[in-house]
Amino acid sequence: SEALALPFHLVGREREIKLLETALLKQSGANAIIVGDPGTGKELLLLGFTRMIVKGQIFPGLEYKRVIKISGPSVIASGKTKGEIEALLIKALNEAVRAGDVILAIEDFPEFVLSLSKLGVIASQLFDPYLSSPSINIIALANTTSFRRTVEGDPALMKFFEKIQLEEPDKKRLLNILVDMVRVLE
């Protein structure tokens, strides 16, 4: 419902949407990590992608999927011990696999991986059976700095993700975005 209420269009992000669709349509390891500096539109891209699914403006293989957002800090705060947090995550991931129509979106993925690591949980081992499963898709969101520091150097984790880099809009695209926003805000 949040995606349908989005008043703006995804101006100039057609390339990134196509990359996201292509990544999620692979036979195995159909996951993507959207990387960008703060303010480049990671959340907006995810909302726009979700709206395209809801409106049926997506490749047939992604139609009728549900995008469910997970907050890493909330998961970490929900358990008191390493075992409780692992059990909670595994339960959520198993439910998503059983449903078969879920795309999990994990906010602040590098920070989540780092928090798990501090608890003694190796993210690549925990996520491995799910990231390679054709029954679930995962979209991770990451700031460029934390991505480079935490995730990029982990080949066991990165082998499952297609990286989609978001750049700051150039002047022409920025002008198009502002024109789109003016119509809504007026």
Side-chain angles (χ1 to χ4, degrees), residues 11-79:
V11 176
R13 291 292 187 203
E14 295 80 11
R15 178 186 151 274
E16 289 85 354
I17 287 288
K18 291 292 177 207
L19 289 172
L20 189 53
E21 285 178 314
T22 302
L24 297 179
L25 287 168
K26 292 184 346 189
Q27 291 297 337
S28 66
N31 310 294
I33 186 161
I34 301 170
V35 180
D37 292 330
T40 54
K42 296 179 295 294
E43 290 282 337
L44 188 62
L45 181 68
L46 179 64
L47 286 171
F49 178 74
T50 303
R51 180 168 57 183
M52 289 175 69
I53 291 173
V54 171
K55 289 185 170 188
Q57 300 169 333
I58 203 89
F59 281 112
L62 296 172
E63 286 180 330
Y64 310 110
K65 294 271 187 174
R66 295 179 294 146
V67 178
I68 299 174
K69 242 198 285 191
I70 291 182
S71 167
S74 295
V75 171
I76 299 296
S78 296

Side-chain angles (χ1 to χ4, degrees), residues 119-180:
L119 292 168
V121 178
I122 300 169
S124 58
Q125 291 176 357
L126 179 74
F127 283 107
D128 186 272
Y130 304 100
L131 290 169
S132 59
S133 171
S135 301
I136 187 174
N137 301 105
I138 296 177
I139 299 173
L141 304 177
N143 287 325
T144 304
T145 305
S146 56
F147 169 76
R148 287 185 181 142
R149 193 173 356 113
T150 308
V151 179
E152 191 172 42
D154 186 348
L157 197 53
M158 277 307 297
K159 72 180 179 181
F160 295 110
F161 286 102
E162 188 74 34
K163 179 183 168 190
I164 299 170
Q165 182 72 45
L166 293 185
E167 302 295 337
E168 288 284 336
D170 59 19
K171 287 181 182 180
K172 182 180 179 186
R173 195 169 81 211
L174 185 57
L175 183 60
N176 289 337
I177 292 168
L178 291 173
V179 167
D180 183 57

Side-chain angles (χ1 to χ4, degrees), residues 70-78 106-109 111-112 115-116:
I70 291 182
S71 167
S74 295
V75 171
I76 299 296
S78 296
I106 304 174
E107 298 175 305
D108 300 321
F109 189 68
E111 290 82 0
F112 184 46
S115 295
L116 289 172

